[in-house]
Amino acid sequence: MSTLPTITLNNGVAMPQIGFGVFQVPDDETTAAVTAALDAGYRSIDTAAVYGNESGTGKALAASGIARDELFVTSKLWNTDQGYDATLAAFEASLDRLGLDYLDLYLIHWPAPAHDRYVDSWHALEKLYADGRVRAIGVSNFLPEHLRRVLDAGTIVPTVNQIELHPALQQRDVVEFGDAHGIATEAWSPLAQGAVLNEPAITRIAADHDRTPAQIVLRWHLQQGRISIPKSVTPSRIRENLDVLDFELSAAEVAEVDALDRDGRTGPHPAEFNG
């Protein structure tokens, strides 16, 4: 991980700023995709129970020969497993599928407000952290109203809030709330599933730097101090998405990408989605 930029989380743990996501990758394709990512230099892998590919991810990790302390592995608690005891059981099941003794980061996948169990789940994550089963705990898709409840009811501030974030959906209120409370922002769908890659501003900036539009967007994330987890199953694109460390966008170029913000959500709205 020494060649990758890292973010130091609020508990002192260093997390690579660029990771590899496996959302929507079938389990039987995940081992090859994660292997390609590890070969390309990624050391942070992001999966989730609901993805159904923790086993495939674990096989790639085990076969890689990379020391465990050089890897950063994230998984997530699904909505139907929320609640204190159910969370503890779900965590153990994820560890078993991954073939690991501990996780680097465990997230509550969605607040699922209609179930109203995310505070109980947070208390379970606090126990897992206290017991040394996970190096950092956090949340995903939480809005400020959900974060406030966790901050009020819990004893540990989440290290990370993983949210949909890309040029067309910048969620500045969520990012600002996180910044104010020391919660790092991690972007899922950092390329908007490709929806922003044909934006004229992005294609022009890409041509000016002799880079791909995807590399421009990932560099934009990097310069904003965010964590991002691009996903691909194509080895050349997997390598390309990591090749963003040797150039820099100007302040004017960053501002052009900033100006693309709109209601460009590609996934569910956290206030409405309960799984």
Side-chain angles (χ1 to χ4, degrees), residues 189-263:
S189 194
L191 304 174
Q193 300 183 32
V196 298
L197 300 184
N198 292 319
E199 289 284 348
I202 290 174
T203 58
R204 180 173 42 75
I205 294 168
D208 289 345
H209 286 271
D210 194 24
R211 296 284 175 154
T212 67
Q215 288 174 319
I216 296 305
V217 176
L218 292 171
R219 183 68 206 181
W220 171 76
H221 283 291
L222 199 65
Q223 288 183 217
Q224 302 277 19
R226 285 192 291 271
I227 303 155
S228 65
I229 45 170
K231 164 238 167 179
S232 177
V233 295
T234 307
S236 60
R237 286 193 183 146
I238 289 171
R239 291 190 299 271
E240 173 190 292
N241 287 342
L242 197 62
D243 185 20
V244 294
L245 306 179
D246 59 350
F247 75 101
E248 192 164 318
L249 302 179
S250 69
E253 289 169 333
V254 169
E256 282 191 82
V257 181
D258 286 348
L260 299 175
D261 191 20
R262 56 185 183 271
D263 187 17

Side-chain angles (χ1 to χ4, degrees), residues 121-131 137 150 153-157:
S121 294
W122 184 251
H123 290 314
L125 264 63
E126 290 181 324
K127 175 173 172 51
L128 292 167
Y129 180 73
D131 289 348
I137 55 176
V150 167
T155 59
I156 298 174
V157 176

Side-chain angles (χ1 to χ4, degrees), residues 19 21 31 33 48 53 72 77 84 100 103 107 111 152 160 180 182 185 203 230 233 236 249 256 261-262:
T31 302
N53 56 22
F72 193 101
L77 171 76
Y84 187 86
L100 299 177
L103 283 180
L107 307 177
D152 289 344
V160 167
T185 298
T203 58
V233 295
S236 60
L249 302 179
E256 282 191 82
D261 191 20
R262 56 185 183 271

